[in-house]
Amino acid sequence: MWSSRLFWKLFLVYAGLNIASAIVFVLIVSGRQQSQVVEEVQQRLHDSAVIMRSSLDGVFQQGFSERLQEKVRKLGEETGMRLTLIGMDGVVIADSDQETLEMVRLMENHKNRVEVIQAMSTGAGESKRLSPTVSEPMLYYAVLFKEAGEPEGIVRMAMTMAKIQTEISSIQKLIWSIALLVSFTVMLLTYWVVARMIRPLTILTNAAESIAGGDYDQKLYFPQHDELGILAQSFNHMSKEMAERVRQLQASGDRLSTVLEGMVEGVIAINERQHVLFANESAGRLLFFAPDQAQGKALFESVRNHQLQKAVTEVLKTLEPQRMEVELESTSDRILGVTTTPLPGTPCPGLVIVLFDMTELRRLESLRQEFVANVSHELKTPLSSIKAYTETLIRGAMNDPEISQTFLLRIEEQADRLHQLILDLISLASIESGNQIFDIISIELRPFVESCLIDHQKVAEAKNIELQIEEKEPGIKVKADDEGLHQILGNLVNNAIKYTPDQGRITIRWERESAKMVLLQVQDTGIGIEEKYQARLFERFFRVDKARSRELGGTGLGLSIVKHLVQSFNGTIAVTSKMGEGSTFSVRLPKG
Ligand code: ADP
């Protein structure tokens, strides 16, 4: 209450008005009172002069006398007024304020006194002035005394102003006291009324401030049924509505930010000055900046990309949405798809930038193109050979049984290559597409590896390569598809034999690596693989030495098929190799 400015404004205005009206009232009343007192005194002087005049027969003919002076003095004492008898020549015959007749004789001539002059000419005169005889301000009233129609002298009554003033001031004191009391009472009433008026407003203000501060549980209870009661009801309704709206807004804001944060695409909202209003985690990840720290700062302070900056500036200027691709060369080889859309509103309040990583898409596209080119090339080579042999045969070589035999064998060889290539492609496509149905079972490695090696025994023996098995502990099983595992091991052993010179050794070992995984290794003492090629070994059509591989009947798809098969069985494959010493392919498969 004491801190309410409105309270003090209203109270001071009312108090000021109250004091002002009290002062005006007192001034008017006391002014009126003062003139009324003066009028009353004048009336009394007049009445006394007239009464005195009737008891003064023969006094003026007698002139000075002790008796007269004594009588006049007594009359003065009794009436409380000054009585002066003045002859027509202005000589004072008696005066109630003089003690002795001698003193009366010494008084100066009064014929020039204002009231005396007036009385002589008109019969009555009055004045208010300083008395030269008694030296104090006095109110005079003089009447002409006539006997048998002839003017005999002047009877003058006077009263000192001090007496009148005392009377006036005592009345004024009373008026001031009443006014003060009334003012004080009115002030108290004003205080009470204003405080009563302000109290609901203070409560309302506090409640409104709390709402503005986010506390929406504010309820007002005004028992009155007037405008304040209605206001309280409306306020409660409004705060309830607001709480509901804010809750809805918060919920939709939370939903929106969860959606935005969960998006793979990067989203950045900036204002017209290119300052970041919002940026999600993905945007930070794609453009290599910290979204929290970039908030409120210029976007291109955190993201240095000329292409993007140019696009943003252009969209802000033209207000036309734009799609583009941005390459992040400095930090990575990333390709980003960027759409910039202006935010609705005039003038344009900013724009939204949506970023999506297109690196993988572009990589897959180029892989596809590369694959098509590779397949075409791989198909073309044997087909060209077949075509050349057939043409030669048709042109006459078929008449030579020896040549035609050789050519036909070559044609068969190339057809086998084509056949193998197509089989590999079909196999790879069906594994990659995930359509191939595997029958995952528990396979004990020892018998499985042994039976698999029988297929390669002959080829190995031809090259004098020793095939050996190392089993760390018996009975180890893996979870895989029988045919698939056969393909994996077959490919790895086949490669090992192909890329190991004569007299070499191939070791197939397995062990339990962890509680869940089994490690199966195919190690050779072959030519080895340069480190720079090791990572690319599992790519389709990748061959370290194309000519050599082709010569050995390879398609370049073997390890790619192996990798996909291993992955289909929830396993992994890795290679370690040293040039000239040999290679080790490590396959990790789930324990059976
Ligand atoms: P390919 O049909 O040519 O053998 P792969 O996919 O099986 O195709 O192998 C890809 C390439 O990896 C081969 O061309 C060869 O250069 C290299 N490679 C595979 N296995 C070995 C190995 N044991 N020793 C040396 N190089 C190998």
Side-chain angles (χ1 to χ4, degrees), residues 8-113:
W8 284 112
K9 262 188 204 167
L10 281 174
F11 179 71
L12 289 178
V13 166
Y14 281 122
L17 280 174
N18 172 31
I19 291 168
S21 48
I23 291 171
V24 170
F25 166 79
V26 169
L27 288 179
I28 291 170
V29 170
S30 67
R32 179 85 199 95
Q33 184 63 34
Q34 200 167 347
S35 54
Q36 220 171 346
V37 169
V38 173
E39 268 170 35
E40 235 173 64
V41 171
Q42 277 173 340
Q43 189 61 45
R44 265 164 63 195
L45 289 173
H46 168 264
D47 294 348
S48 308
V50 171
I51 293 164
M52 289 298 170
R53 188 170 62 181
S54 60
S55 60
L56 293 174
D57 288 345
V59 164
F60 288 99
Q61 279 98 347
Q62 283 169 20
F64 294 104
S65 79
E66 278 289 352
R67 215 170 52 83
L68 179 66
Q69 170 55 26
E70 191 50 32
K71 187 180 168 189
V72 165
R73 210 178 54 78
K74 270 196 182 141
L75 275 170
E77 257 176 28
E78 278 161 20
T79 56
M81 293 180 217
R82 180 178 167 198
L83 170 62
T84 315
L85 300 179
I86 306 157
M88 286 310 282
D89 50 0
V91 174
V92 179
I93 298 167
D95 185 273
S96 63
D97 272 12
Q98 305 303 322
E99 286 299 321
T100 58
L101 188 63
E102 275 319 298
M103 285 163 91
V104 174
R105 281 184 203 279
L106 288 172
M107 281 173 74
E108 70 176 85
N109 192 295
H110 273 45
K111 73 174 174 205
N112 290 327
R113 298 294 197 267

Side-chain angles (χ1 to χ4, degrees), residues 228-241:
L228 279 174
I230 298 168
L231 185 64
Q233 273 177 15
S234 308
F235 185 90
N236 291 342
H237 182 67
M238 186 191 75
S239 67
K240 201 174 139 199
E241 284 283 302

Side-chain angles (χ1 to χ4, degrees), residues 565-580:
L565 279 169
V566 170
Q567 282 176 349
S568 303
F569 304 153
N570 296 322
T572 57
I573 183 161
V575 63
T576 52
S577 180
K578 230 174 182 184
M579 284 299 285

Side-chain angles (χ1 to χ4, degrees), residues 424 491-500 522-524 526-530 533 536-546 548-550 552-562 575 577 582-585:
D424 278 358
N491 255 307
L492 294 177
V493 174
N494 188 25
N495 276 350
I497 296 170
K498 272 199 293 187
Y499 300 105
T500 301
V522 178
Q523 188 180 22
D524 61 50
I527 55 170
I529 307 151
E530 264 187 79
Y533 298 128
R536 298 193 58 199
L537 223 54
F538 302 96
E539 284 177 17
R540 288 173 293 196
F541 297 113
F542 180 80
R543 283 170 290 200
V544 175
D545 182 344
K546 274 197 180 146
R548 185 172 192 168
S549 160
R550 227 173 260 141
L552 295 167
T555 60
L557 292 172
L559 284 182
S560 186
I561 293 171
V562 167
V575 63
S577 180
S583 314
T584 307
F585 285 83

